[in-house]
Amino acid sequence: MTTKAFVIGHPINHSRSPLIHQTWLAEHRIDGSYEAIDVPPEALPAFFERLRSGEFAGGNVTIPHKEAVFGLCDAVDPLARKIGAVNTLVVREGKVFGSNTDYLGFLGNLDAAVPGWSDGPDDAMVIGAGGAARAVLVALQRRNGGKVHVLNRTLANAQALVDEIDGPFEAHGFDAFAELAPRTGIVINTSSIGMHGSRFDWLDLALLPRKTLVTDIVYVPLETPLLAEARARGLRTVDGLGMLLHQAAPGFEAWFGVRPTVTPELRARVEATLGH
């Protein structure tokens, strides 16, 4: 019997998840399917009834449903609660379990690209205080040795995030960059700056140590203006595509029983679609 999985969102036609999972299904010769399903917000409860009926082994959740599914799951793991979003659903015996693999995707991407990146006690800098920042903070809390500084245009939003997620975190406005930069070992952009040609007008990368790692969770474009400038200055850079690829692996294993590998070939297939 074919094991079925999905990604739901609204809209959903932009999702690269079917390409990722269909590649793995073919690679492992699994009798399975993975499809993108457009579910408008008002249709979510009815879709969860389909889940409980056993039609699917589980699936992924993307915008705008990552928070809305909390109330519909039968159980949500503590880390997903801390992050405030669910991106992976697993169905067992008529019950739907929610989790979040974004923090694993973030760590897996950096571990693969820059092994040992978290060995030093350097401070980290997270730009942005939205939903994506929460997953990154949870990841850094588990791995990073130093303080984590959250910089946001609106200081109150950064402070609210830091207050909510307990850890070695400090909130700042963008004006703190110059003071913090010299002792920063990694800069993570979790904001949407870098998309649609937008760029930072206040961030002087010359103030960062030469060994600083700069990464961006945006992957369209693959090399954002931030990453291009960092590379030009000789800083280490990691793009955001790997986070998308690595966050997909735990769900695939839960639904289809095989732990897939993020290969250069898979990355190349997904990368080829980013211009479209």
Side-chain angles (χ1 to χ4, degrees):
M1 200 170 103
T2 302
T3 302
K4 294 169 65 179
F6 59 82
V7 58
I8 56 169
H10 184 68
I12 195 59
N13 55 3
H14 64 283
S15 176
R16 270 81 184 182
S17 292
L19 176 58
I20 296 169
H21 290 279
Q22 287 161 11
T23 298
W24 284 335
L25 286 169
E27 190 179 303
H28 294 284
R29 296 187 172 89
I30 291 170
D31 180 11
S33 69
Y34 185 100
E35 61 181 312
I37 305 173
D38 193 316
V39 179
E42 64 275 13
L44 262 184
F47 185 80
F48 265 69
E49 289 311 308
R50 287 174 65 187
L51 281 183
R52 291 191 179 88
S53 76
E55 186 179 343
F56 300 96
N60 289 119
V61 181
T62 190
I63 294 166
H65 301 321
K66 286 186 171 190
E67 291 83 23
V69 298
F70 264 87
L72 296 168
C73 289
D74 296 291
V76 173
D77 84 16
L79 265 176
R81 287 204 180 280
K82 195 167 191 177
I83 294 168
V86 165
N87 76 338
T88 303
L89 303 172
V90 176
V91 183
R92 287 194 213 100
E93 297 171 0
K95 287 189 163 37
V96 183
F97 299 88
S99 62
N100 188 303
T101 63
D102 282 335
Y103 82 98
L104 293 171
F106 174 77
L107 293 174
N109 184 28
L110 292 184
D111 288 343
V114 187
W117 66 273
S118 60
D119 290 349
D122 297 323
D123 287 0
M125 182 183 294
V126 175
I127 299 170
R134 300 173 73 101
V136 169
L137 288 183
V138 166
L140 291 173
Q141 188 175 27
R142 297 184 149 228
R143 292 282 293 279
N144 201 60
K147 270 190 183 155
V148 180
H149 301 281
V150 179
L151 274 64
N152 196 55
R153 192 181 305 280
T154 308
L155 175 58
N157 292 353
Q159 191 63 54
L161 178 61
V162 164
D163 290 344
E164 205 174 319
I165 301 184
D166 190 38
F169 310 134
E170 288 184 6
H172 306 271
F174 284 163
D175 56 351
F177 179 83
E179 181 196 340
L180 298 170
R183 56 180 188 273
T184 296
I186 179 170
V187 176
I188 306 114
N189 177 35
T190 72
S191 76
S192 60
I193 298 172
M195 297 173 73
H196 313 300
S198 59
R199 56 177 61 239
F200 292 97
D201 53 10
W202 52 268
L203 200 151
D204 183 2
L205 295 183
L207 300 173
L208 294 169
R210 289 301 298 269
K211 64 182 176 59
T212 300
L213 171 64
V214 180
T215 184
D216 205 319
I217 67 163
V218 167
Y219 59 86
V220 181
L222 199 56
E223 185 171 72
T224 59
L226 173 65
L227 294 183
E229 187 189 338
R231 185 171 54 79
R233 289 190 173 276
L235 301 173
R236 299 177 296 170
T237 63
V238 179
D239 65 55
L241 180 57
M243 182 172 172
L244 173 73
L245 303 175
H246 285 278
Q247 65 79 30
F252 188 92
E253 183 178 23
W255 310 317
F256 301 112
V258 175
R259 181 70 176 197
T261 306
V262 174
T263 60
E265 292 77 17
L266 173 64
R267 185 189 160 93
R269 286 192 73 180
V270 178
E271 204 174 309
T273 72
L274 295 183
H276 308 299

